[in-house]
Structure formats: structure tokens, C-alpha cells
Amino acid sequence: MIEENLFKLVDWFQLSRSSNGIYVIDITTNHVQSSDFSHRFDKEALLGADEFVTYSIHEMNRIGSLSTYEIVKKVVDEKGNLIVFAKPEFHQVEKD
């Protein structure tokens, strides 16, 4: 994907109302987006990473989900928001 097309995926209106956030943009879709990950990750840790993982385990049914994200590009906007363009892979996991 051309870099110019990456920036078309960002919901710039949403980001204009935020500062010092972390936004992950899924590059495998054509939808404009702004998923705020500020509550899940440390900005400094993401700046040094090439990939990251999110997961959730549901205690009742012993099944969870694991998402791995390969980081394609990282940029910081004028308000201090970290925008991470990533390619996700989703997996289902079972708890032993």
C-alpha cells in the first residue's frame, strides 16, 4: 500500500480532538478508523516495537482471542498522538 493511502485510513477529525493518545490503524481494511489504544499500551514501549499483541480470556467458556499486530509505520502528530499503522492477525485460543 502506498504511504499516501495509509493516511487516508485515519479519522483525522477524531484525532483532532485528542492529544497524547495511541491510535492503531488496521491497514488490511479500506475503512476510515481511529481505534484508541491509550488505555492498553505504553507509548514509549510501542515506539520501540516492531509488533505487539492484545488478548482476552473469557473465564466462563475457557475460550479467548489473541491478536498479533505487525507494525508497518509509526508517526506522531502535532498533538502528540502516536499513530500506528499495523497489519493484524486474529487467533482463537483455548484455556487449559
Side-chain angles (χ1 to χ4, degrees):
M1 180 178 285
I2 302 172
E3 188 171 305
E4 174 184 312
N5 290 336
L6 290 177
F7 293 107
K8 291 179 181 179
L9 296 174
V10 178
D11 182 347
W12 294 105
F13 179 76
Q14 175 70 27
L15 265 67
S16 72
R17 296 183 286 158
S18 175
S19 62
N20 295 312
I22 300 170
Y23 292 88
V24 176
I25 308 300
D26 177 352
I27 67 165
T28 64
T29 181
N30 291 326
H31 303 291
V32 173
Q33 52 200 294
S34 64
S35 299
D36 187 358
F37 277 63
S38 300
H39 62 286
R40 298 183 86 168
F41 289 100
D42 175 72
K43 187 185 288 188
E44 295 301 318
L46 273 180
L47 282 169
D50 294 326
E51 57 187 354
F52 64 96
V53 175
T54 63
Y55 59 89
S56 64
I57 302 294
H58 308 284
E59 293 297 324
M60 298 301 285
N61 62 11
R62 304 176 61 81
I63 296 175
S65 60
L66 172 75
S67 302
T68 58
Y69 296 81
E70 176 188 347
I71 297 174
V72 175
K73 183 171 186 65
K74 296 174 270 195
V75 296
V76 177
D77 73 6
E78 62 190 9
K79 292 187 169 204
N81 293 308
L82 173 61
I83 305 166
V84 178
F85 297 93
K87 183 178 173 181
E89 285 188 30
F90 305 102
H91 312 276
Q92 185 173 337
V93 293
E94 285 192 42
K95 184 178 168 190
D96 292 334

